[in-house]
Amino acid sequence: MKILAEMFSIAPANKDHHPALRCAVGVFIPLLTLVLLGRLDLAIFASFGAFAGIYGRGEPHGSRFSLQLRAGLLMLMVILLASLAARAGGSWGLEGVSATWLLVLATTVVAGGCSVAISWLRLRPAGSLFHIFAFAAIGSIPNQPPLWEGMLVAILTTALCLLIGFSSRVLPGHRTPWVWPRPLRRTPDERRTAWLEGLGYFVAAGLAGSLATLAGQSLGFGHNYWAMVAAVVPLVGHTTVHRVRRGVQRIIGTVLGLVVLAGILMLNLEPWQTVLVMALCQFGAELFIARQYLLAQVFVTPLALISTLLVAPASPSSLLRDRIVETVIGAAVGIAVVLAPALLRRVRRAVRAARPQEPSRPPDSSR
């Protein structure tokens, strides 16, 4: 009952509307610009470029700029690699099943590598969830826009988010000291932890992507990378109970978010209205992500699926089905990866306890 109560409890607010507003504006302005230009095919590049604004939410302006700059450069590298990977598959003549498995393999490498990079750079939020999503979503776009256009949109959006990050300095009451962070020094334990976390992300994402691909080929659903994203959600947390709770919250929040999405789709919104809804969802997600993960997912789910529909229109019913199936598969895999070490330790202790104890030898009287 305590675990259940904690799952639905909410932490007190801590000026969360400030970072939420920054993130919402960072998404709204680029997407509205693309709507006015008639280039919604580039919306996904703006959406992921805006992820730089998520980092350094409670830091002073100098530290925030440094953290967002690191995060933005890492995301830009992922976007570039995803665009190149999508083109490589076509140039190698890969299509269908072969292209799907290549994308799963590449996304698995990104999951592990970016997890290590995030730990190395000491960025928060931790983990490579955003990078898995960005790489697989962009890599799976069938008709890629010109590379320079996509990268230009991503770079300009990232620059805008950096500007928004310290824009409140124009108000003396909100101005914080501009102190550049000290150079990072990592202890051997931190380096070891970073590599172990990267291994966990590699295993969880790879296993979830493989199972989702096999199941999708048999049952006829797609978007296997949603399972990979959901699989790494439980890997963030200080305790096993907290991590398992996040996995369960991911499933429940996704179901509730799909209900919200169904209501939004019934409205048949115009493109500019859709962009406004995305900004509101981004605001809600950032408002609650640090306080109540389940509630944040109610906003994250429609945000993710609407951004997908903008770039690659699909049947809403199949999209809703794929989202819940992939989320359940991924969250179950992530929870299993979290519980596996604890179960393994218990088995080892049980085996040692079951072994017959050697009789103690009597003392040697000749000595």
Side-chain angles (χ1 to χ4, degrees), residues 240-267:
T240 301
V241 173
H242 177 70
R243 294 180 175 187
V244 173
R245 187 168 64 237
R246 278 175 61 91
V248 177
Q249 287 177 319
R250 179 79 179 195
I251 297 174
I252 299 175
T254 297
V255 173
L256 297 177
L258 291 177
V259 175
V260 175
L261 176 65
I264 294 174
L265 294 178
M266 291 176 62
L267 299 176

Short mmCIF file of all heavy atoms in Angstrom, two decimals, residues 240-267:
data_model
loop_
_atom_site.label_atom_id
_atom_site.label_comp_id
_atom_site.label_asym_id
_atom_site.label_seq_id
_atom_site.Cartn_x
_atom_site.Cartn_y
_atom_site.Cartn_z
N THR A 240 15.80 0.14 -6.18
CA THR A 240 15.08 -0.79 -7.05
C THR A 240 13.59 -0.51 -7.03
O THR A 240 12.92 -0.55 -8.08
CB THR A 240 15.35 -2.24 -6.61
OG1 THR A 240 16.76 -2.49 -6.67
CG2 THR A 240 14.62 -3.23 -7.50
N VAL A 241 13.03 -0.21 -5.85
CA VAL A 241 11.60 0.08 -5.74
C VAL A 241 11.24 1.30 -6.58
O VAL A 241 10.23 1.31 -7.31
CB VAL A 241 11.20 0.29 -4.27
CG1 VAL A 241 9.76 0.77 -4.17
CG2 VAL A 241 11.38 -0.99 -3.48
N HIS A 242 12.07 2.34 -6.50
CA HIS A 242 11.80 3.55 -7.27
C HIS A 242 11.86 3.26 -8.77
O HIS A 242 11.03 3.77 -9.54
CB HIS A 242 12.82 4.63 -6.91
CG HIS A 242 12.68 5.89 -7.70
ND1 HIS A 242 11.63 6.76 -7.55
CD2 HIS A 242 13.46 6.42 -8.69
CE1 HIS A 242 11.77 7.78 -8.38
NE2 HIS A 242 12.87 7.58 -9.08
N ARG A 243 12.79 2.45 -9.20
CA ARG A 243 12.93 2.15 -10.62
C ARG A 243 11.75 1.34 -11.14
O ARG A 243 11.22 1.60 -12.22
CB ARG A 243 14.24 1.41 -10.86
CG ARG A 243 15.47 2.26 -10.57
CD ARG A 243 16.74 1.48 -10.82
NE ARG A 243 17.92 2.34 -10.66
CZ ARG A 243 19.16 1.96 -10.95
NH1 ARG A 243 19.38 0.74 -11.41
NH2 ARG A 243 20.16 2.79 -10.79
N VAL A 244 11.34 0.34 -10.37
CA VAL A 244 10.18 -0.46 -10.77
C VAL A 244 8.93 0.42 -10.82
O VAL A 244 8.10 0.29 -11.73
CB VAL A 244 9.98 -1.64 -9.81
CG1 VAL A 244 8.68 -2.38 -10.12
CG2 VAL A 244 11.17 -2.61 -9.91
N ARG A 245 8.81 1.31 -9.85
CA ARG A 245 7.65 2.21 -9.82
C ARG A 245 7.61 3.08 -11.08
O ARG A 245 6.53 3.31 -11.63
CB ARG A 245 7.70 3.06 -8.56
CG ARG A 245 6.45 3.91 -8.37
CD ARG A 245 6.39 4.53 -6.99
NE ARG A 245 7.47 5.46 -6.77
CZ ARG A 245 8.36 5.37 -5.78
NH1 ARG A 245 8.31 4.37 -4.93
NH2 ARG A 245 9.29 6.29 -5.63
N ARG A 246 8.74 3.54 -11.53
CA ARG A 246 8.78 4.35 -12.75
C ARG A 246 8.30 3.55 -13.96
O ARG A 246 7.61 4.08 -14.84
CB ARG A 246 10.20 4.87 -13.00
CG ARG A 246 10.55 6.12 -12.21
CD ARG A 246 12.01 6.49 -12.43
NE ARG A 246 12.29 6.77 -13.84
CZ ARG A 246 12.21 7.97 -14.40
NH1 ARG A 246 11.82 9.02 -13.67
NH2 ARG A 246 12.52 8.15 -15.66
N GLY A 247 8.68 2.27 -14.03
CA GLY A 247 8.22 1.44 -15.13
C GLY A 247 6.71 1.27 -15.14
O GLY A 247 6.06 1.36 -16.19
N VAL A 248 6.14 1.05 -13.96
CA VAL A 248 4.68 0.91 -13.86
C VAL A 248 4.00 2.24 -14.17
O VAL A 248 2.97 2.29 -14.86
CB VAL A 248 4.28 0.40 -12.46
CG1 VAL A 248 2.77 0.33 -12.32
CG2 VAL A 248 4.91 -0.97 -12.20
N GLN A 249 4.57 3.33 -13.67
CA GLN A 249 4.00 4.65 -13.95
C GLN A 249 4.04 4.96 -15.44
O GLN A 249 3.14 5.62 -15.97
CB GLN A 249 4.76 5.72 -13.17
CG GLN A 249 4.47 5.74 -11.68
CD GLN A 249 5.30 6.78 -10.96
OE1 GLN A 249 6.48 6.96 -11.23
NE2 GLN A 249 4.68 7.48 -10.02
N ARG A 250 5.07 4.49 -16.11
CA ARG A 250 5.17 4.70 -17.56
C ARG A 250 3.98 4.06 -18.28
O ARG A 250 3.39 4.67 -19.18
CB ARG A 250 6.48 4.10 -18.08
CG ARG A 250 6.69 4.24 -19.58
CD ARG A 250 7.16 5.62 -19.96
NE ARG A 250 7.39 5.76 -21.38
CZ ARG A 250 8.07 6.76 -21.92
NH1 ARG A 250 8.58 7.70 -21.15
NH2 ARG A 250 8.24 6.85 -23.22
N ILE A 251 3.62 2.84 -17.88
CA ILE A 251 2.51 2.15 -18.53
C ILE A 251 1.19 2.85 -18.24
O ILE A 251 0.40 3.14 -19.15
CB ILE A 251 2.46 0.68 -18.06
CG1 ILE A 251 3.74 -0.06 -18.49
CG2 ILE A 251 1.23 -0.02 -18.63
CD1 ILE A 251 3.83 -1.47 -17.96
N ILE A 252 0.94 3.14 -16.96
CA ILE A 252 -0.34 3.78 -16.59
C ILE A 252 -0.45 5.17 -17.22
O ILE A 252 -1.49 5.54 -17.77
CB ILE A 252 -0.47 3.87 -15.06
CG1 ILE A 252 -0.44 2.47 -14.43
CG2 ILE A 252 -1.75 4.60 -14.67
CD1 ILE A 252 -0.44 2.48 -12.92
N GLY A 253 0.63 5.94 -17.16
CA GLY A 253 0.62 7.28 -17.75
C GLY A 253 0.41 7.25 -19.25
O GLY A 253 -0.26 8.13 -19.81
N THR A 254 0.98 6.24 -19.92
CA THR A 254 0.80 6.11 -21.36
C THR A 254 -0.66 5.84 -21.71
O THR A 254 -1.21 6.42 -22.65
CB THR A 254 1.69 5.00 -21.91
OG1 THR A 254 3.07 5.34 -21.70
CG2 THR A 254 1.46 4.80 -23.40
N VAL A 255 -1.29 4.94 -20.96
CA VAL A 255 -2.70 4.64 -21.21
C VAL A 255 -3.55 5.90 -21.06
O VAL A 255 -4.41 6.20 -21.91
CB VAL A 255 -3.19 3.52 -20.27
CG1 VAL A 255 -4.70 3.33 -20.42
CG2 VAL A 255 -2.46 2.22 -20.56
N LEU A 256 -3.34 6.63 -19.98
CA LEU A 256 -4.11 7.87 -19.76
C LEU A 256 -3.78 8.91 -20.84
O LEU A 256 -4.67 9.63 -21.30
CB LEU A 256 -3.81 8.43 -18.37
CG LEU A 256 -4.21 7.54 -17.19
CD1 LEU A 256 -3.78 8.18 -15.86
CD2 LEU A 256 -5.71 7.28 -17.19
N GLY A 257 -2.52 8.97 -21.23
CA GLY A 257 -2.13 9.92 -22.28
C GLY A 257 -2.77 9.59 -23.62
O GLY A 257 -3.09 10.49 -24.41
N LEU A 258 -2.96 8.30 -23.90
CA LEU A 258 -3.61 7.90 -25.15
C LEU A 258 -5.08 8.33 -25.16
O LEU A 258 -5.63 8.66 -26.22
CB LEU A 258 -3.51 6.38 -25.34
CG LEU A 258 -2.10 5.85 -25.61
CD1 LEU A 258 -2.11 4.34 -25.70
CD2 LEU A 258 -1.53 6.45 -26.90
N VAL A 259 -5.71 8.33 -24.00
CA VAL A 259 -7.09 8.83 -23.91
C VAL A 259 -7.13 10.31 -24.26
O VAL A 259 -8.00 10.78 -25.01
CB VAL A 259 -7.68 8.58 -22.51
CG1 VAL A 259 -9.06 9.19 -22.38
CG2 VAL A 259 -7.73 7.08 -22.21
N VAL A 260 -6.17 11.06 -23.71
CA VAL A 260 -6.08 12.50 -24.03
C VAL A 260 -5.82 12.70 -25.52
O VAL A 260 -6.43 13.56 -26.17
CB VAL A 260 -4.97 13.16 -23.18
CG1 VAL A 260 -4.79 14.62 -23.59
CG2 VAL A 260 -5.30 13.05 -21.70
N LEU A 261 -4.90 11.89 -26.08
CA LEU A 261 -4.58 12.01 -27.50
C LEU A 261 -5.80 11.73 -28.37
O LEU A 261 -6.03 12.42 -29.37
CB LEU A 261 -3.44 11.06 -27.85
CG LEU A 261 -3.06 11.02 -29.34
CD1 LEU A 261 -2.52 12.36 -29.79
CD2 LEU A 261 -2.04 9.92 -29.60
N ALA A 262 -6.58 10.71 -28.01
CA ALA A 262 -7.77 10.39 -28.79
C ALA A 262 -8.73 11.59 -28.82
O ALA A 262 -9.32 11.90 -29.87
CB ALA A 262 -8.47 9.17 -28.19
N GLY A 263 -8.87 12.29 -27.69
CA GLY A 263 -9.72 13.47 -27.65
C GLY A 263 -9.16 14.59 -28.52
O GLY A 263 -9.92 15.30 -29.21
N ILE A 264 -7.83 14.75 -28.53
CA ILE A 264 -7.21 15.79 -29.36
C ILE A 264 -7.42 15.50 -30.84
O ILE A 264 -7.73 16.40 -31.64
CB ILE A 264 -5.70 15.90 -29.03
CG1 ILE A 264 -5.51 16.39 -27.60
CG2 ILE A 264 -5.00 16.82 -30.01
CD1 ILE A 264 -4.06 16.37 -27.13
N LEU A 265 -7.24 14.25 -31.24
CA LEU A 265 -7.38 13.89 -32.65
C LEU A 265 -8.81 14.08 -33.14
O LEU A 265 -9.03 14.37 -34.33
CB LEU A 265 -6.94 12.44 -32.86
CG LEU A 265 -5.46 12.14 -32.62
CD1 LEU A 265 -5.17 10.67 -32.80
CD2 LEU A 265 -4.58 12.98 -33.54
N MET A 266 -9.78 13.94 -32.26
CA MET A 266 -11.18 14.11 -32.65
C MET A 266 -11.50 15.56 -32.97
O MET A 266 -12.51 15.85 -33.63
CB MET A 266 -12.09 13.62 -31.52
CG MET A 266 -12.08 12.11 -31.32
SD MET A 266 -13.08 11.60 -29.90
CE MET A 266 -14.71 12.15 -30.42
N LEU A 267 -10.65 16.49 -32.55
CA LEU A 267 -10.90 17.91 -32.80
C LEU A 267 -10.52 18.35 -34.21
O LEU A 267 -10.91 19.44 -34.63
CB LEU A 267 -10.14 18.76 -31.77
CG LEU A 267 -10.51 18.53 -30.30
CD1 LEU A 267 -9.60 19.36 -29.40
CD2 LEU A 267 -11.98 18.90 -30.05
#
